[in-house]
Amino acid sequence: MGRFHREVHEEQVEMSGGSRCCFSLLTLLAEVLLFGSVALVVAWCLKYRGGFAWTEDPNLQFNLHPVLMVSGFIFFAGHAMLTYRQWRCCNHSTIKLVHTLYHIMAIPCIAVGLIAVFDFHNNKKPTPIPNLYSLHSWMGLVTVGLYGLQVLPAFIVGFFSFLFLLCCDTATASFRAALVPVHSSFGITTFFLAVATCLTGLTEKVLFTIRDTYQSLGEEPIVVNVFAMCLVLVAIVMSVLLLLDRFRQNTERLILVSRQHEA
Protein backbone atom coordinates (compact mmCIF):
# COMPACT_ATOMS: atom_id res chain seq x y z
CA MET A 1 0.00 0.00 0.00
CA GLY A 2 2.83 2.43 0.82
CA ARG A 3 4.51 1.74 -2.53
CA PHE A 4 1.21 2.36 -4.30
CA HIS A 5 0.76 5.76 -2.63
CA ARG A 6 4.30 6.72 -3.62
CA GLU A 7 3.48 5.78 -7.21
CA VAL A 8 0.27 7.83 -7.07
CA HIS A 9 2.17 10.80 -5.65
CA GLU A 10 4.63 10.63 -8.51
CA GLU A 11 1.79 10.52 -11.06
CA GLN A 12 0.09 13.65 -9.65
CA VAL A 13 0.95 16.74 -11.64
CA GLU A 14 0.60 20.20 -10.15
CA MET A 15 -0.91 22.98 -12.25
CA SER A 16 1.56 25.15 -14.10
CA GLY A 17 1.79 28.87 -13.46
CA GLY A 18 -0.33 29.66 -16.50
CA SER A 19 -2.96 27.11 -15.48
CA ARG A 20 -3.09 28.53 -11.94
CA CYS A 21 -3.58 32.03 -13.32
CA CYS A 22 -6.33 30.84 -15.69
CA PHE A 23 -7.96 28.86 -12.88
CA SER A 24 -7.96 31.88 -10.54
CA LEU A 25 -9.50 34.15 -13.16
CA LEU A 26 -12.18 31.62 -14.08
CA THR A 27 -13.00 30.98 -10.42
CA LEU A 28 -13.32 34.71 -9.77
CA LEU A 29 -15.53 35.08 -12.84
CA ALA A 30 -17.70 32.17 -11.73
CA GLU A 31 -18.20 33.77 -8.31
CA VAL A 32 -19.07 37.14 -9.84
CA LEU A 33 -21.61 35.49 -12.15
CA LEU A 34 -23.14 33.31 -9.40
CA PHE A 35 -23.56 36.21 -6.98
CA GLY A 36 -24.59 38.50 -9.85
CA SER A 37 -27.34 36.12 -10.97
CA VAL A 38 -28.91 36.08 -7.50
CA ALA A 39 -28.54 39.85 -7.13
CA LEU A 40 -30.15 40.52 -10.50
CA VAL A 41 -33.14 38.23 -9.97
CA VAL A 42 -33.76 39.74 -6.51
CA ALA A 43 -33.45 43.29 -7.88
CA TRP A 44 -35.76 42.45 -10.79
CA CYS A 45 -38.47 41.08 -8.49
CA LEU A 46 -38.16 43.94 -5.98
CA LYS A 47 -38.01 46.88 -8.38
CA TYR A 48 -40.11 45.75 -11.33
CA ARG A 49 -42.33 42.92 -10.08
CA GLY A 50 -43.57 44.43 -6.79
CA GLY A 51 -41.60 42.47 -4.17
CA PHE A 52 -42.55 39.33 -2.27
CA ALA A 53 -45.50 37.93 -0.32
CA TRP A 54 -47.07 34.59 0.50
CA THR A 55 -50.59 33.33 -0.20
CA GLU A 56 -52.20 36.71 0.62
CA ASP A 57 -51.01 37.95 -2.80
CA PRO A 58 -50.45 35.19 -5.40
CA ASN A 59 -48.73 37.56 -7.84
CA LEU A 60 -46.11 38.52 -5.29
CA GLN A 61 -45.85 34.95 -4.05
CA PHE A 62 -44.81 33.92 -7.55
CA ASN A 63 -41.77 36.21 -7.27
CA LEU A 64 -40.35 33.81 -4.69
CA HIS A 65 -40.20 31.13 -7.38
CA PRO A 66 -37.45 32.58 -9.62
CA VAL A 67 -35.41 33.85 -6.66
CA LEU A 68 -35.47 30.53 -4.78
CA MET A 69 -34.93 28.38 -7.86
CA VAL A 70 -31.92 30.43 -8.93
CA SER A 71 -30.62 30.33 -5.35
CA GLY A 72 -31.05 26.56 -5.08
CA PHE A 73 -30.21 25.21 -8.53
CA ILE A 74 -27.68 27.82 -9.65
CA PHE A 75 -26.09 29.47 -6.61
CA PHE A 76 -25.93 26.71 -3.98
CA ALA A 77 -25.69 23.74 -6.38
CA GLY A 78 -23.07 25.63 -8.41
CA HIS A 79 -21.00 26.29 -5.31
CA ALA A 80 -21.40 22.65 -4.28
CA MET A 81 -19.74 21.57 -7.54
CA LEU A 82 -17.06 24.24 -7.29
CA THR A 83 -16.12 23.01 -3.82
CA TYR A 84 -13.94 20.30 -5.36
CA ARG A 85 -12.06 22.99 -7.29
CA GLN A 86 -11.86 25.86 -4.79
CA TRP A 87 -11.09 24.16 -1.47
CA ARG A 88 -7.75 22.82 -2.61
CA CYS A 89 -5.99 23.35 0.73
CA CYS A 90 -8.45 21.16 2.70
CA ASN A 91 -8.55 17.41 3.13
CA HIS A 92 -11.07 15.36 1.20
CA SER A 93 -13.42 14.82 4.17
CA THR A 94 -13.73 18.57 4.77
CA ILE A 95 -14.44 19.18 1.08
CA LYS A 96 -17.16 16.51 1.07
CA LEU A 97 -18.74 18.09 4.17
CA VAL A 98 -18.84 21.56 2.57
CA HIS A 99 -20.18 20.03 -0.66
CA THR A 100 -22.98 18.39 1.34
CA LEU A 101 -23.79 21.57 3.27
CA TYR A 102 -24.29 23.50 0.03
CA HIS A 103 -26.77 20.87 -1.16
CA ILE A 104 -28.54 20.97 2.21
CA MET A 105 -29.03 24.72 1.71
CA ALA A 106 -30.24 24.20 -1.87
CA ILE A 107 -32.98 21.67 -1.03
CA PRO A 108 -35.30 23.98 1.02
CA CYS A 109 -34.90 26.73 -1.59
CA ILE A 110 -36.08 24.37 -4.32
CA ALA A 111 -38.93 22.98 -2.19
CA VAL A 112 -40.32 26.40 -1.21
CA GLY A 113 -39.86 27.67 -4.76
CA LEU A 114 -42.01 24.82 -6.06
CA ILE A 115 -44.70 25.45 -3.44
CA ALA A 116 -44.76 29.15 -4.39
CA VAL A 117 -45.38 28.55 -8.09
CA PHE A 118 -48.07 25.87 -7.50
CA ASP A 119 -49.83 28.18 -5.00
CA PHE A 120 -49.65 31.02 -7.52
CA HIS A 121 -51.25 28.90 -10.23
CA ASN A 122 -53.97 27.48 -7.95
CA ASN A 123 -54.86 30.78 -6.22
CA LYS A 124 -54.67 33.05 -9.26
CA LYS A 125 -57.80 35.23 -9.54
CA PRO A 126 -60.22 35.36 -11.22
CA THR A 127 -59.18 32.14 -12.98
CA PRO A 128 -56.59 29.62 -11.73
CA ILE A 129 -53.73 28.77 -14.08
CA PRO A 130 -53.23 25.11 -15.10
CA ASN A 131 -50.17 23.38 -13.68
CA LEU A 132 -47.43 21.68 -15.67
CA TYR A 133 -48.60 22.67 -19.14
CA SER A 134 -45.60 24.64 -20.48
CA LEU A 135 -42.18 23.63 -21.78
CA HIS A 136 -40.66 25.45 -18.81
CA SER A 137 -42.66 23.38 -16.33
CA TRP A 138 -41.81 20.13 -18.11
CA MET A 139 -38.10 20.96 -18.10
CA GLY A 140 -38.38 22.00 -14.47
CA LEU A 141 -39.98 18.69 -13.59
CA VAL A 142 -37.11 16.79 -15.23
CA THR A 143 -34.54 19.03 -13.49
CA VAL A 144 -36.08 18.47 -10.06
CA GLY A 145 -36.30 14.74 -10.73
CA LEU A 146 -32.66 14.48 -11.78
CA TYR A 147 -31.57 16.55 -8.80
CA GLY A 148 -33.50 14.28 -6.45
CA LEU A 149 -32.07 11.14 -8.06
CA GLN A 150 -28.59 12.60 -7.72
CA VAL A 151 -28.67 14.11 -4.23
CA LEU A 152 -30.85 11.80 -2.14
CA PRO A 153 -29.05 8.53 -3.02
CA ALA A 154 -25.73 10.34 -2.54
CA PHE A 155 -26.76 11.32 1.00
CA ILE A 156 -27.81 7.73 1.76
CA VAL A 157 -24.67 6.18 0.26
CA GLY A 158 -22.48 8.78 1.94
CA PHE A 159 -24.05 8.14 5.35
CA PHE A 160 -23.65 4.37 5.21
CA SER A 161 -20.18 4.70 3.69
CA PHE A 162 -19.22 6.85 6.67
CA LEU A 163 -20.47 4.15 9.06
CA PHE A 164 -18.45 1.50 7.23
CA LEU A 165 -15.39 3.74 7.17
CA LEU A 166 -15.46 3.81 10.95
CA CYS A 167 -14.55 0.13 10.79
CA CYS A 168 -12.48 -0.19 7.63
CA ASP A 169 -11.22 2.42 5.22
CA THR A 170 -11.03 -0.01 2.30
CA ALA A 171 -14.53 -1.46 2.75
CA THR A 172 -16.21 1.04 0.46
CA ALA A 173 -13.24 2.55 -1.39
CA SER A 174 -13.80 0.86 -4.75
CA PHE A 175 -17.57 1.34 -4.54
CA ARG A 176 -17.24 5.06 -3.80
CA ALA A 177 -14.64 5.46 -6.53
CA ALA A 178 -17.02 3.87 -9.04
CA LEU A 179 -19.77 6.31 -8.03
CA VAL A 180 -17.62 9.44 -8.52
CA PRO A 181 -17.95 9.76 -12.34
CA VAL A 182 -21.67 8.92 -12.20
CA HIS A 183 -22.38 11.47 -9.48
CA SER A 184 -20.25 14.09 -11.22
CA SER A 185 -21.90 13.57 -14.61
CA PHE A 186 -25.39 13.78 -13.14
CA GLY A 187 -24.45 16.95 -11.25
CA ILE A 188 -23.10 18.76 -14.30
CA THR A 189 -26.05 17.64 -16.45
CA THR A 190 -28.56 18.80 -13.84
CA PHE A 191 -26.83 22.17 -13.53
CA PHE A 192 -26.90 22.81 -17.28
CA LEU A 193 -30.52 21.70 -17.46
CA ALA A 194 -31.35 24.07 -14.59
CA VAL A 195 -29.80 26.96 -16.52
CA ALA A 196 -31.82 26.04 -19.63
CA THR A 197 -34.99 25.80 -17.52
CA CYS A 198 -34.36 29.25 -16.04
CA LEU A 199 -33.97 30.69 -19.53
CA THR A 200 -37.26 29.20 -20.74
CA GLY A 201 -38.93 30.52 -17.57
CA LEU A 202 -37.61 34.02 -18.25
CA THR A 203 -38.88 33.86 -21.82
CA GLU A 204 -42.28 32.73 -20.60
CA LYS A 205 -42.46 35.50 -18.00
CA VAL A 206 -41.46 38.14 -20.57
CA LEU A 207 -44.22 36.98 -22.94
CA PHE A 208 -46.82 37.12 -20.16
CA THR A 209 -45.86 40.39 -18.46
CA ILE A 210 -43.81 42.78 -20.59
CA ARG A 211 -44.48 41.55 -24.11
CA ASP A 212 -45.76 44.94 -25.29
CA THR A 213 -42.76 46.92 -23.99
CA TYR A 214 -40.03 44.34 -24.49
CA GLN A 215 -39.11 45.53 -27.98
CA SER A 216 -38.49 49.05 -26.71
CA LEU A 217 -35.67 47.65 -24.55
CA GLY A 218 -36.42 49.72 -21.48
CA GLU A 219 -34.95 49.21 -18.02
CA GLU A 220 -36.77 46.00 -17.14
CA PRO A 221 -36.03 44.21 -20.45
CA ILE A 222 -32.35 45.14 -20.07
CA VAL A 223 -32.26 43.72 -16.53
CA VAL A 224 -33.93 40.52 -17.74
CA ASN A 225 -31.51 40.16 -20.67
CA VAL A 226 -28.44 40.83 -18.50
CA PHE A 227 -29.70 38.27 -15.99
CA ALA A 228 -30.17 35.72 -18.78
CA MET A 229 -26.68 36.36 -20.13
CA CYS A 230 -25.24 35.87 -16.63
CA LEU A 231 -26.84 32.42 -16.58
CA VAL A 232 -25.43 31.58 -20.01
CA LEU A 233 -21.94 32.76 -19.04
CA VAL A 234 -21.96 30.93 -15.72
CA ALA A 235 -22.82 27.70 -17.57
CA ILE A 236 -19.85 28.24 -19.91
CA VAL A 237 -17.40 29.10 -17.13
CA MET A 238 -18.57 26.22 -14.94
CA SER A 239 -18.18 23.76 -17.81
CA VAL A 240 -14.54 24.82 -18.28
CA LEU A 241 -13.76 24.63 -14.56
CA LEU A 242 -15.45 21.28 -14.05
CA LEU A 243 -14.53 19.41 -17.22
CA LEU A 244 -10.87 20.34 -17.80
CA ASP A 245 -8.63 17.71 -16.25
CA ARG A 246 -5.87 20.22 -15.46
CA PHE A 247 -8.14 21.88 -12.88
CA ARG A 248 -8.83 18.69 -10.97
CA GLN A 249 -7.71 18.40 -7.37
CA ASN A 250 -5.04 15.90 -6.36
CA THR A 251 -7.72 14.02 -4.41
CA GLU A 252 -9.69 13.53 -7.60
CA ARG A 253 -6.59 12.39 -9.45
CA LEU A 254 -5.94 9.93 -6.62
CA ILE A 255 -9.32 8.29 -7.27
CA LEU A 256 -8.68 8.12 -11.02
CA VAL A 257 -5.18 6.70 -10.60
CA SER A 258 -6.35 4.18 -7.99
CA ARG A 259 -9.00 2.90 -10.40
CA GLN A 260 -6.37 2.54 -13.12
CA HIS A 261 -4.11 0.71 -10.67
CA GLU A 262 -6.90 -1.71 -9.73
CA ALA A 263 -7.65 -2.34 -13.42
Side-chain angles (χ1 to χ4, degrees):
M1 181 63 70
R3 182 175 63 83
F4 166 67
H5 282 295
R6 285 195 298 272
E7 291 175 357
V8 169
H9 180 74
E10 291 171 359
E11 291 190 53
Q12 292 177 357
V13 180
E14 294 293 337
M15 285 193 293
S16 64
S19 294
R20 282 197 297 270
C21 181
C22 182
F23 173 78
S24 299
L25 289 174
L26 287 173
T27 302
L28 176 61
L29 181 57
E31 289 292 348
V32 170
L33 292 170
L34 287 170
F35 277 96
S37 297
V38 175
L40 283 169
V41 70
V42 171
W44 175 45
C45 291
L46 285 174
K47 185 174 182 179
Y48 301 104
R49 296 291 99 211
F52 307 101
W54 197 237
T55 52
E56 65 273 11
D57 190 334
N59 289 322
L60 298 185
Q61 184 183 16
F62 172 82
N63 293 339
L64 292 170
H65 176 69
V67 170
L68 291 174
M69 287 308 194
V70 169
S71 298
F73 277 120
I74 306 301
F75 185 81
F76 288 125
H79 275 98
M81 292 190 294
L82 285 178
T83 302
Y84 286 94
R85 299 293 183 270
Q86 293 176 319
W87 294 60
R88 311 183 74 86
C89 60
C90 301
N91 61 52
H92 194 56
S93 297
T94 301
I95 295 172
K96 287 174 68 176
L97 177 61
V98 175
H99 177 79
T100 302
L101 289 175
Y102 274 125
H103 280 302
I104 289 174
M105 289 185 284
I107 290 172
C109 291
I110 295 169
V112 177
L114 286 173
I115 293 172
V117 73
F118 278 107
D119 279 353
F120 164 70
H121 284 176
N122 296 331
N123 299 327
K124 179 69 174 177
K125 296 179 180 179
T127 306
I129 300 174
N131 292 308
L132 303 176
Y133 72 92
S134 65
L135 174 63
H136 170 68
S137 62
W138 286 23
M139 292 178 66
L141 200 62
V142 174
T143 304
V144 172
L146 284 178
Y147 188 78
L149 288 174
Q150 176 211 0
V151 171
L152 295 180
F155 282 158
I156 296 172
V157 171
F159 175 74
F160 284 104
S161 294
F162 175 76
L163 293 181
F164 283 124
L165 285 171
L166 293 177
C167 303
C168 180
D169 184 41
T170 60
T172 60
S174 60
F175 177 64
R176 287 181 289 114
L179 282 181
V180 167
V182 177
H183 181 69
S184 176
S185 298
F186 263 87
I188 294 172
T189 301
T190 303
F191 183 82
F192 291 161
L193 185 57
V195 169
T197 304
C198 288
L199 295 176
T200 58
L202 279 176
T203 303
E204 185 178 299
K205 188 65 175 176
V206 164
L207 292 176
F208 286 158
T209 59
I210 58 174
R211 177 177 55 187
D212 296 334
T213 60
Y214 187 65
Q215 292 182 352
S216 64
L217 207 63
E219 283 189 10
E220 185 176 2
I222 289 176
V223 171
V224 172
N225 286 354
V226 171
F227 171 45
M229 290 309 301
C230 277
L231 295 176
V232 172
L233 290 174
V234 80
I236 295 172
V237 173
M238 291 283 287
S239 66
V240 175
L241 284 171
L242 296 172
L243 297 176
L244 281 187
D245 185 66
R246 70 179 63 180
F247 294 149
R248 290 182 183 274
Q249 279 211 52
N250 284 342
T251 50
E252 293 177 277
R253 294 194 185 104
L254 178 60
I255 294 174
L256 293 175
V257 173
S258 64
R259 293 180 66 199
Q260 294 172 0
H261 179 82
E262 291 173 358

